[in-house]
Structure formats: structure tokens, C-alpha cells
Amino acid sequence: MDLATYFVKIKAGEMDYFHPFYEASKKAIFYNIFALCKDYALSEDILEETYLSFLKNIDKIDNSENILGYLMRISKNLTLDYFKKNSRIILSDDIYQQGENDTYYLDQKLLLEKIHKILKKDEYKIFLLHVLGDLTFDEISKATHKPLGTILWKYNSAIKKLRKELEDEYS
């Protein structure tokens, strides 16, 4: 079943479909949030808020709405609202306080920080959504309301930059 079908069933009150809906969409939404705040714990909190907001406003959502795009907009707005309310910017040294002793966690943190420094903001977001969020380029295109060609071009540009950086570093 696709997200639109799950959405229609949930909207009709069939809440048994929420769990598969959540499982099918959570990765993409999480990495959409993570691309903005770069903090796992905060991303998880905002992810929960995103789905709570979705359920709270489900009756106001049109059935023809691109539901993944809608969730991405909610998550982006909640992330930006968080930073407005807290009037602070998370600096890279302050990120990832949780799990600092976990070697895998630190390696992942360092790799994502390095990738973020190499790529432009939009390239980083597309990279995260495709590689970590498991979204197809078509899904990213629809969710971000950008042409498929633009998504493909930016992703390829990101991969070339990463490849060049790694070749320069390890040659």
C-alpha cells in the first residue's frame, strides 16, 4: 500500500493503518528534520511532534495532497519554530551529546559533519533523503516540489563533490 492509501484509511478513522503509514514515512521525515538541525535527539522529538500535528489536523488535509510533501512541510516548520522559540543556533560542538561514548555514533557524527561541510544545503538534504531516508528521486521531487531533473542534477553534483573530496584526502 502507498502513503496516499494509508492516509485515506487513517482519515476515515481506521487507525490500524497508522503504524504502517508511520513506518513507511518516518525515515524520510526524520532525515528532513536532521538536515535542518543536525541533532539526532532533537530530530526524534520533532519527528514525534510532526506526526502528532498530522493526526491533530488530519481532517483539514485534502485527500489529493501529496502526503509526504505535507509531512515534510510540517516537519520543516516545526524545526524552524523550535529554533525561533529557543532563540539559539546549535553549534557543531554542541550537537550529539547523547551517545558520545559510542564509537559507531561518533564515526557517523563525524562523517555526517564532514559531508555537511562539503555539500551545499540543498545537496545535503537530497543526499540525506536519498541515501539515509531511502526515498527515490521521484519521491524527493514530489515531496520538495522541485523538478526531477533538478533533484538528479543536485544529487549527482553532491556525489561528484564527495568523490573528489575523498580522492583528494586519500590519495
Side-chain angles (χ1 to χ4, degrees):
M1 230 184 266
D2 65 352
L3 290 179
T5 306
Y6 286 131
F7 167 67
V8 170
K9 295 211 179 265
I10 296 166
K11 191 172 181 179
E14 298 180 49
M15 292 308 290
D16 291 345
Y17 289 95
F18 180 74
H19 182 71
F21 172 81
Y22 175 78
E23 289 299 319
S25 59
K26 74 176 182 181
K27 215 173 189 184
I29 304 307
F30 175 83
Y31 284 108
N32 185 56
I33 298 164
F34 184 79
L36 295 168
C37 71
K38 296 154 203 71
D39 181 325
Y40 272 86
L42 179 59
S43 296
E44 289 172 347
D45 291 345
I46 295 173
L47 179 70
E48 289 178 25
E49 287 182 48
T50 299
Y51 285 96
L52 288 173
S53 177
F54 164 75
L55 289 173
K56 182 178 176 182
N57 297 302
I58 197 163
D59 291 330
K60 298 175 187 171
I61 306 169
D62 189 88
N63 286 0
S64 64
E65 178 86 39
N66 174 341
I67 202 62
L68 186 60
Y70 181 82
L71 288 169
M72 291 179 94
R73 270 193 320 277
I74 292 173
S75 65
K76 178 182 177 183
N77 291 339
L78 287 172
T79 304
L80 296 175
D81 286 349
Y82 171 83
F83 286 112
K84 286 178 192 171
K85 287 177 187 171
N86 292 289
S87 301
R88 67 183 180 96
I89 298 172
I90 295 178
L91 302 173
S92 62
D93 293 341
D94 298 332
I95 309 175
Y96 308 107
Q97 295 163 359
Q98 166 181 337
E100 287 179 348
N101 296 324
D102 182 0
T103 305
Y104 174 77
Y105 187 80
L106 286 174
D107 288 346
Q108 191 176 27
K109 170 194 164 198
L110 293 172
L111 180 60
L112 288 173
E113 285 178 354
K114 184 171 188 138
I115 290 170
H116 187 254
K117 287 178 184 175
I118 295 168
L119 301 178
K120 293 178 183 175
K121 185 178 176 180
D122 52 344
E123 292 170 337
Y124 181 68
K125 182 177 180 178
I126 292 166
F127 177 83
L128 285 179
L129 290 173
H130 182 67
V131 174
L132 300 178
D134 290 332
L135 288 181
T136 66
F137 296 117
D138 191 46
E139 290 171 326
I140 295 169
S141 171
K142 289 177 183 170
T144 59
H145 303 289
K146 293 185 179 177
L148 179 59
T150 301
I151 299 299
L152 291 169
W153 181 79
K154 288 184 180 201
Y155 179 78
N156 285 326
S157 175
I159 295 301
K160 286 177 185 174
K161 285 181 185 178
L162 292 173
R163 186 176 292 135
K164 182 181 180 337
E165 186 72 25
L166 290 173
E167 286 173 357
D168 290 347
E169 188 171 319
Y170 294 106
S171 43

